[in-house]
Amino acid sequence: MALSLHDLTISELRHFSPYLLALLLTVLFINYLLTPPAELRHLPCVPVIPLLWSFISGETENSRIKRLLLPFMQDEGEGAVLVYALGRWMVHILDPKIFKEVSDDLNQWPKEAPPTEMLFFRFIGKTNVVLSNGKTWQKHSKIIQSAFIRNLPIDGFSDLAEKLFKKMGEGGLIKWDDWTMRYTLDAIGTTILGYDFEAIEDDNSPFLKQYVGVMEAMASPLYLIFPRLETLLPRHKVIKEIDSLVGLFQGVLDYKRNNRGNDILTYMLEHPGMTQEEYRDNMVTFFVAGHDTTASAMSSLVYYLAQYPEYQERARKEVIKALGNDQPNTKNLNQIPFVQACIKEALRLNEPVTNTVPRISVSGWTVQGSNGKEYYIPPNTPVILSITSVHCNENYWTDAGTFYPDRFLGTSASDQARIDTLSWIPFSRGPRQCPARHFAMYELKTVAALMLKSWEWSLPIGSPHAKGIKNGLSPFGLSSPKNLFINFQKL
């Protein structure tokens, strides 16, 4: 029979030595923290011990989902499971039917107010388009959507790609994930923020170094398991670095107020509807969302085309036929469907974002999965939509673990629509999906097209990625290949 703190009387506690008593109380307290609330115990639950070991051992989020969560859906037909994550119990949605229902209903499932103690939210702020709700979100969304419609900087993407290729010289063995980070930093800087970080040119970019250091520090497994430690044992050095980095973003914002240009931030500043804090929080959010995710997508695409040289050559022939001697533009980039399919397949197999930002149930609600199973979710329950679980599910994708771009070249428009709206969700779905999704896809198509015209590449012998892509540990479900060396040969 399980022992709880309530089973012990004061007199019984006196028989323990101080050390044993301290150990007992610690174990009981951890057990209390890691026991699901009574109102959630009717839901299928991921075992806590393997879950904790996954965090402690540094397992990446997408690997953890595939190993511990996905079997609930594929083997047992469950559409929702209870998971201990980020210091509290949450319901993870695995079924695309429930995913759609939660995504589409903003009144029943608004975004959860972020935990105050977590340093990640100290960094990105809480008054941005991702975390806000109601009229505040509508205001942010309208301003941001308007800004993205006005600017599709394909020429800017092309110029940065050519600058990158020049730095790559004649090719050879290159740590590709480092170069994607540098490229996307300059892409976000020049096209979104209107500020050139010069990360491609500067081999020791201080901004990039500080940013990577902050993201790695926030990914401490112990603090991810127990975020309350940020209050009990505050990491003053990390907090100082975060505040310093936020200060740099504030400096860019101050600069842009007096130096307008052809960039997203300039167009946003033309609308006086946001406060200083809202502009800054959205800047940082755009940076994290656009920098890390696009760098991951670029790395993953190059990896898969290295693993499948026949697809790489097929994509190259398509690009040469569509572009000829021209630079990328909206017309010729829409004439490379196989390249786009390769990008989509890379985003499916190694999605840059594994989960959505948590939603919260306003009232008690019953959701129904694809197989008819129903799940009652009590009010005020955090709910996470698992993108990885949908993308890697054999029930929805044939040979889900295989890189097969032709799956996106369906014979009918209805087939493609079904995939794009239900099962392929790297940008999430519904009204709260990524507002920069078209911007990101054009950036990826531009870089991919120019790379295929200029380079061929392969995975080096003995690569740790030979049997599968290896992501680095990152806070809050961001997936990005780590130490990805690629052999490049100039064409």
Side-chain angles (χ1 to χ4, degrees):
M1 184 174 63
L3 183 67
S4 75
L5 194 59
H6 303 290
D7 296 325
L8 297 174
T9 65
I10 297 297
S11 60
E12 289 171 329
L13 286 172
R14 287 173 181 164
H15 292 293
F16 291 94
S17 73
Y19 298 107
L20 285 176
L21 180 60
L23 178 61
L24 176 63
L25 291 175
T26 300
V27 170
L28 291 173
F29 179 67
I30 292 175
N31 180 66
Y32 166 76
L33 287 178
L34 301 183
T35 300
E39 65 271 17
L40 295 176
R41 291 176 193 167
H42 63 285
L43 294 167
C45 182
V46 176
V48 175
I49 299 303
L51 199 61
L52 289 181
W53 178 248
S54 172
F55 278 103
I56 293 170
S57 65
E59 186 176 27
T60 59
E61 181 72 8
N62 63 338
S63 296
R64 178 164 46 250
I65 291 171
K66 292 173 186 176
R67 188 171 63 85
L68 297 177
L69 274 68
L70 195 56
F72 279 85
M73 180 66 180
Q74 293 192 158
D75 302 339
E76 302 175 30
E78 301 291 358
V81 295
L82 194 60
V83 176
Y84 180 84
L86 304 180
R88 60 203 192 280
W89 289 95
M90 301 182 181
V91 176
H92 275 237
I93 302 300
L94 313 178
D95 189 308
K97 182 175 180 290
I98 306 175
F99 194 119
K100 180 180 184 299
E101 179 180 343
V102 174
S103 298
D104 291 350
D105 191 342
L106 303 186
N107 294 320
Q108 170 62 27
W109 307 99
K111 294 295 180 76
E112 181 192 34
T116 56
E117 68 271 14
M118 297 190 73
L119 294 187
F120 184 70
F121 298 108
R122 184 186 184 98
F123 179 40
I124 69 169
K126 302 171 185 177
T127 59
N128 55 57
V129 70
V130 173
L131 298 175
S132 58
N133 288 301
K135 291 183 177 180
T136 301
W137 170 74
Q138 292 174 4
K139 174 185 68 174
H140 288 199
S141 180
K142 182 178 180 180
I143 292 173
I144 290 165
Q145 293 280 9
S146 175
F148 275 107
I149 288 172
R150 290 177 61 182
N151 191 23
L152 187 59
I154 293 174
D155 289 343
F157 298 148
S158 298
D159 292 343
L160 288 173
E162 295 297 342
K163 186 185 291 187
L164 173 63
F165 298 164
K166 186 177 179 181
K167 286 288 289 186
M168 290 169 63
E170 295 300 314
L173 189 62
I174 289 176
K175 192 179 181 187
W176 181 239
D177 54 303
D178 279 358
W179 283 105
T180 60
M181 294 284 281
R182 292 166 68 170
Y183 172 89
T184 53
L185 174 54
D186 281 351
I188 287 290
T190 56
T191 65
I192 302 287
L193 306 182
Y195 186 89
D196 191 354
F197 292 104
E198 299 184 341
I200 294 175
E201 293 293 341
D202 187 353
D203 292 335
N204 296 293
S205 170
F207 187 93
L208 183 60
K209 184 178 180 180
Q210 184 174 358
Y211 173 73
V212 171
V214 164
M215 292 296 281
E216 289 178 349
M218 288 192 295
S220 168
L222 188 59
Y223 282 83
L224 290 178
I225 298 171
F226 301 112
R228 296 178 192 178
L229 288 175
E230 300 289 7
T231 302
L232 299 173
L233 300 170
R235 296 181 288 170
H236 297 292
K237 184 177 180 180
V238 179
I239 291 171
K240 184 178 178 180
E241 286 296 313
I242 290 173
D243 292 345
S244 172
L245 195 54
V246 172
L248 292 177
F249 281 104
Q250 182 63 54
V252 172
L253 178 59
D254 294 340
Y255 170 82
K256 286 304 298 178
R257 289 187 183 279
N258 299 312
N259 297 272
R260 304 296 175 91
N262 181 30
D263 53 79
I264 301 299
L265 184 55
T266 288
Y267 300 142
M268 287 174 59
L269 287 168
E270 291 176 0
H271 297 269
M274 290 191 193
T275 66
Q276 174 96 343
E277 182 182 13
E278 289 172 332
Y279 279 121
R280 186 197 64 220
D281 287 356
N282 276 300
M283 278 181 63
V284 180
T285 300
F286 285 155
F287 183 86
V288 175
H291 174 259
D292 293 64
T293 56
T294 308
S296 169
M298 285 175 60
S299 292
S300 298
L301 176 64
V302 165
Y303 166 77
Y304 287 116
L305 291 182
Q307 285 283 67
Y308 296 86
E310 66 277 17
Y311 289 147
Q312 183 183 150
E313 186 56 29
R314 180 178 163 189
R316 181 173 294 108
K317 289 178 179 178
E318 181 182 72
V319 166
I320 292 172
K321 180 179 178 181
L323 271 65
N325 295 321
D326 296 335
Q327 285 291 95
N329 55 55
T330 53
K331 183 179 179 180
N332 57 35
L333 287 179
N334 286 323
Q335 296 173 352
I336 51 173
F338 182 70
V339 173
Q340 177 166 292
C342 289
I343 294 170
K344 285 187 170 184
E345 183 71 335
L347 288 171
R348 182 189 71 83
L349 270 177
N350 197 44
E351 58 285 305
V353 179
T354 57
N355 302 308
T356 66
V357 171
R359 303 290 186 98
I360 194 83
S361 54
V362 172
S363 58
W365 201 262
T366 298
V367 294
Q368 186 180 75
S370 301
N371 59 3
K373 280 191 177 183
E374 294 186 342
Y375 304 88
Y376 174 72
I377 300 179
N380 300 314
T381 301
V383 172
I384 281 184
L385 307 178
S386 177
I387 295 172
T388 300
S389 296
V390 175
H391 279 182
C392 297
N393 197 317
E394 294 282 352
N395 296 329
Y396 301 100
W397 301 93
T398 303
D399 296 326
T402 301
F403 184 78
Y404 181 61
D406 286 283
R407 72 175 82 241
F408 290 99
L409 301 176
T411 56
S412 69
S414 61
D415 287 342
Q416 191 60 49
R418 179 189 62 79
I419 289 176
D420 285 353
T421 60
L422 193 61
S423 302
W424 187 76
I425 45 177
F427 301 104
S428 191
R429 59 152 293 120
R432 299 299 299 260
Q433 64 185 302
C434 173
R437 57 194 179 278
H438 298 303
F439 184 95
M441 285 299 291
Y442 270 105
E443 181 180 0
L444 290 169
K445 286 196 288 186
T446 300
V447 176
L450 291 173
M451 285 195 66
L452 287 162
K453 283 184 66 177
S454 303
W455 305 90
E456 62 180 8
W457 59 89
S458 60
L459 210 61
I461 296 173
S463 169
H465 301 268
K467 295 183 178 180
I469 202 163
K470 304 291 185 183
N471 293 317
L473 183 65
S474 176
F476 313 106
L478 298 175
S479 294
S480 187
K482 189 75 171 177
N483 296 322
L484 179 62
F485 285 89
I486 298 288
N487 271 321
F488 285 94
Q489 183 177 344
K490 206 167 189 177
L491 294 175

